[in-house]
Amino acid sequence: MAGLTRRGFGLAGMGALAGAGAVRPAGASNLLNPLTSPRGTIYPGRVRLKQIASVDFRKEENAFAWHVSSMAWSPDGSRLVAESGDGSFLNVIDTASWQLLTRFRVMQARGARLFGFAAGGREMIASRHISSGSTENPPAFSAFETDTGKLLRESDLLPVFLPELLGRPQDLFLQQRRGGQSLTVSPDGNYVFLSFSAIGGRGNTTHRFFGLVFDSSNGRLLGQGEGRNWLLPSISRDNRLAVATSATRLGFSDEIAIFDLPSLTERMSFRAHVRGVRSLAWSPTGDRLASGSSATVPPREAEPIRVWDTSTGEQMAGFSGEFEPIAYLSWHPSGRFVLTSSAKGTGEIGALVQLFPASGGAPLLQHFAPDRVVINGPCFCPRTGRLAWFQQGQILIHEIQGL
């Protein structure tokens, strides 16, 4: 089981960066470059970061297996769930004691988040692990009891057309043949959206993309779409689905499309990042959408972080910086601030977390780690605004003071 450390002080021992932010509003002058700065946290204004607890995974036998790729808080903030082992395990943490309640295995996802909450946080929706070589046709998703990991129910099987597409109807090794899979649950817990791609036909020449909407309570298929990639799915509070997609099905995802659930009726689509979209997140109120660029090599995007008006598709704010790709985005529950976690993206090591006003302006705080590729899974508690991220084998929990 993971260990626990409590701290009531700030980030002691962290040296300040040599200069302020790498992110700026469009049209503003560049601030000093943090690439040459020592490790640490800088607070350009009155905002301060205070670490209050940590959950330690460093004593696990296999450090890679327990490496955390993404995290999410339950709606009431009483549980923090961390996806580890390259997406193979879910770790449920009690946020009152910071003790690990349970750990159970789900389908391997390789960095894509594959879980969400239903029934007010008492249930988790995820893709269940199927043993390699099994002839079982896996369900689209499964519901687990959050505190115990007990399997409660499963959805319908995937539509029959998938094994037929692959050219061998008798072959049901769908776990091995589903690629690019992502799963998200609506904030009200009613809908599950699952996307994946399939390659089949003679010589694996057929490539098709699927998006499926299910009722989370009974697993019934409510809607489905095909013909485009459905990447980085995110659902708003009023049940609109945003995905990163592209005008050409096999091209990188440079567009954002918004759909109504459960019908998957398209509302709009717009060009987002010419270098591709890497991260996507709805604001708490659903009136804005934040996106991050996937550029990993020069030339970089002029504005790798952007905020969009979801009623018009118009850009509301844009920020430039030295660090891409923008691997993670998280909105503060007030809707006034966006947190980004980005990588150096040039084959070199260097990770940067920044908090900036969603309406534009200089970053309020920065945390730079020159020995990290990226700081994983930063996310805000929807009730308390506490911030969690994974760094150097630990989940670190912070309070942000002065917002």
Side-chain angles (χ1 to χ4, degrees), residues 4 6 53 55 73 80 93-100 386 397:
L4 166 71
R6 274 193 179 275
V55 183
W73 300 78
L80 178 63
I93 299 163
D94 177 11
T95 62
S97 64
W98 300 110
Q99 294 297 314
L100 186 64
R386 286 178 173 176
I397 298 90

Side-chain angles (χ1 to χ4, degrees), residues 43-44 48 60 84 86 134 137 196 224 231 233 242 256 292 310 361:
Y43 311 103
R48 292 291 184 271
E60 301 290 352
S84 66
D86 210 7
S134 170
N137 184 1
F196 58 93
Q224 69 182 59
L231 302 177
I256 294 173
T310 58

Side-chain angles (χ1 to χ4, degrees), residues 179-230:
Q181 180 168 306
S182 295
L183 179 149
T184 189
V185 182
S186 60
D188 61 15
N190 293 332
Y191 299 121
V192 178
F193 177 80
L194 176 69
S195 64
F196 58 93
S197 60
I199 301 176
R202 293 187 178 182
N204 287 333
T205 57
T206 303
H207 197 132
R208 290 170 68 179
F209 302 94
F210 302 94
L212 307 175
V213 183
F214 296 88
D215 185 322
S216 67
S217 64
N218 55 29
R220 185 166 59 91
L221 182 64
L222 299 176
Q224 69 182 59
E226 193 185 340
R228 68 169 76 211
N229 45 1
W230 309 74

